[in-house]
């Protein structure tokens, strides 16, 4: 669903990006409130109100996702779908960089190679565009920051979306009233169909989140992480094939480097998850050597001796730490929740932390709300 959202925003014209954004905030809150009433999940609200630090983080998350949503809507309706898709392609790389710079995490060599390749892609695209790909960078950094904050809040996807849109509601409503008073609103002037489309922005925001949450408890996390790459892939294809945006050679080269970086992260993440599963399950036969996730850094493999439990290195795996630290809490929402659309981010309905994407970086939050 998130991958097809670029087809929806142009339907809302002649409304501008700011008006669409304001309606998205207002109607998203209406939708999630109805959903919470149906499932009778309100206990979290009282607990949240008694915790000022978490409330402050909710405000930060609401501010950051507002920037993400606004830039994404403007980019799509201004003919920059391909550049917007790039933002969600490089988001895992930005998430990893934040883990190193902010959380002081350590990376494996393959992850360093992926981050370096991603940086090279931005340089190539900067040369191709004649300026840095600001739209892509803004979307990537805002969504990565959103995922980091949501991880700290540790609130379910739907609950998180409700809290964030509650923060956004009054400013958004005030803007719509001001816009209407000055004759700039299109909600009541473009017909009933247009009004219904603007109201449906709440469904477009929350429904993918709910579906992601449902899938998160039925699909292996590694598979879920891989599937989350479909959103920017579909957006890219729509930009090139449907919207006919130009793709000069230097842009293809930049995207190729990004895809190479993501391939490295995916391979490394799947390999690390497989090794961790083997160690936890004790699947190695007696006398065999257990792979050590730290072997890339010079660690010594452990040998399994018949009749003895395998010796497992108790040193925390920085890669696994990063996956759980930066990813939006999947358990809380569909993810992404708002995954992901790239923007909804996907905190989505309760899904496993969108934390572990195949790339070893946090996937679009099960509790994240994509653009």
């Amino acid at each position: 669903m998130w991958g097809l959202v670029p087809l929806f925003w142009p339907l809302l014209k002649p409304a501008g990006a700011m008006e669409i954004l304001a309606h998205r905030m207002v109607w998203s809150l209406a939708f999630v409130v109805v959903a919470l009433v149906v499932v009778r999940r309100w206990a979290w609200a009282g607990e949240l109100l008694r915790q000022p630090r978490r409330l402050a983080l909710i405000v930060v998350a609401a501010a950051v996702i507002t920037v993400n949503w606004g830039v994404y809507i403007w980019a799509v309706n201004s003919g920059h779908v391909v550049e917007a898709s790039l933002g969600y392609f490089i988001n895992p790389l930005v998430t990893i960089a934040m883990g190193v710079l902010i959380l002081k995490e350590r990376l494996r060599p393959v992850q360093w190679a992926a981050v370096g390749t991603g940086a090279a892609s931005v340089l190539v695209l900067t040369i191709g565009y004649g300026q840095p790909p600001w739209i892509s960078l803004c979307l990537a950094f805002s969504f990565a920051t959103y995922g980091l904050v949501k991880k700290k809040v540790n609130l379910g996807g739907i609950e998180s979306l409700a809290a964030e849109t509650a923060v956004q509601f009054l400013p958004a409503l005030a803007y719509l009233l001001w816009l209407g008073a000055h004759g700039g609103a299109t909600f009541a002037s473009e017909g009933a169909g247009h009004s219904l489309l603007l109201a449906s922005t709440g469904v477009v925001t929350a429904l993918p989140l709910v579906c992601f949450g449902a899938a998160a408890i039925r699909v292996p996390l590694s598979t879920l992480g891989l599937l989350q790459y479909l959103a920017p892939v579909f957006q890219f294809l729509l930009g090139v094939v449907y919207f006919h945006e130009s793709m000069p050679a230097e842009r293809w080269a930049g995207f190729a480097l990004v895809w190479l970086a993501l391939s490295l992260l995916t391979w490394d993440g799947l390999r690390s998850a497989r090794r961790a599963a083997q160690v936890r399950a004790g699947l190695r036969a007696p006398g065999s050597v257990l792979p050590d996730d730290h072997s890339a850094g010079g660690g010594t493999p452990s040998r399994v001796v018949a009749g003895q439990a395998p010796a497992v290195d108790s040193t925390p795996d920085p890669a696994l730490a990063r996956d759980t630290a930066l990813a939006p809490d999947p358990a809380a929402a569909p993810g992404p929740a708002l995954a992901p659309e790239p923007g909804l981010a996907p905190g989505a309905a309760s899904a496993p932390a969108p934390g572990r994407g195949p790339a070893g970086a946090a996937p679009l939050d099960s509790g994240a709300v994509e653009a």
Side-chain angles (χ1 to χ4, degrees):
M1 294 181 187
W2 284 319
L4 300 177
V5 167
L7 296 174
F8 176 72
W9 301 125
L11 299 178
L12 304 181
K13 293 179 179 180
M18 286 296 293
E19 183 181 3
I20 296 172
L21 174 63
H23 276 287
R24 185 179 191 179
M25 296 171 178
V26 170
W27 294 108
S28 292
L29 178 61
F31 183 88
V32 294
V33 165
V34 171
L36 289 171
V37 168
V38 171
V39 298
R40 299 180 180 179
R41 279 159 49 183
W42 292 106
W44 60 273
E47 297 176 3
L48 182 63
L49 291 174
R50 292 191 293 270
Q51 300 175 18
R53 181 177 179 277
R54 292 181 75 196
L55 273 176
L57 289 174
I58 286 290
V59 172
V60 173
V64 173
I65 202 61
T66 295
V67 172
N68 184 273
W69 284 357
V71 171
Y72 184 75
I73 293 170
W74 176 85
V76 170
N77 284 359
S78 300
H80 299 286
V81 176
V82 169
E83 192 173 348
S85 73
L86 176 64
Y88 293 101
F89 275 125
I90 65 177
N91 175 65
L93 302 172
V94 174
T95 297
I96 291 177
M98 283 188 169
V100 174
L101 297 176
I102 299 176
L103 303 180
K104 308 302 180 184
E105 295 170 352
R106 294 175 298 163
L107 300 183
R108 294 187 292 270
V110 174
Q111 294 169 323
W112 277 116
V115 172
T117 303
S121 73
V122 173
L123 178 61
V124 170
L125 289 168
T126 297
I127 295 174
Y129 280 108
Q131 62 180 7
W134 295 115
I135 294 174
S136 304
L137 294 174
C138 182
L139 291 174
F141 277 92
S142 61
F143 200 65
T145 302
Y146 177 74
L148 176 61
V149 174
K150 282 182 68 68
K151 186 65 182 177
K152 300 292 185 181
V153 173
N154 192 27
L155 191 63
I158 289 295
E159 294 87 343
S160 179
L161 180 58
E164 292 156 16
T165 51
V167 172
Q168 298 168 332
F169 179 79
L170 288 180
L173 182 61
Y175 173 77
L176 290 175
L177 293 175
W178 175 85
L179 195 64
H182 288 75
T186 63
F187 183 78
S189 63
E190 297 295 326
H194 181 72
S195 299
L196 287 174
L197 284 173
L198 285 173
S200 67
T201 54
V203 177
V204 170
T205 297
L207 184 59
L209 192 66
V210 173
C211 293
F212 184 90
I217 61 177
R218 294 173 174 83
V219 179
L221 194 57
S222 59
T223 302
L224 197 65
L226 287 170
L227 290 176
Q228 288 180 358
Y229 285 119
L230 291 178
V233 167
F234 282 147
Q235 293 163 26
F236 173 80
L237 292 176
L238 284 173
V240 174
V241 178
Y242 183 80
F243 293 104
H244 304 293
E245 295 185 15
S246 63
M247 283 294 292
E250 58 272 19
R251 188 176 293 186
W252 279 112
F255 269 87
L257 287 172
V258 170
W259 295 332
L260 173 60
L262 293 178
S263 297
L264 290 171
L265 282 180
T266 300
W267 172 76
D268 182 72
L270 291 175
R271 182 186 63 168
S272 176
R274 184 166 53 249
R275 286 180 171 179
Q278 289 174 341
V279 171
R280 286 194 301 267
L283 297 180
R284 286 302 193 184
S288 63
V289 175
L290 286 173
D292 189 338
D293 277 343
H294 302 289
S295 59
T300 303
S302 303
R303 180 171 296 278
V304 178
V305 179
Q308 297 183 8
V312 180
D313 183 2
S314 60
T315 304
D317 182 352
L320 295 178
R322 185 201 60 256
D323 294 341
T324 54
L326 277 183
D329 181 1
L338 297 176
E341 175 192 341
L344 184 39
S350 310
R356 169 113 215 158
L364 296 181
D365 183 357
S366 65
V369 178
E370 282 210 51

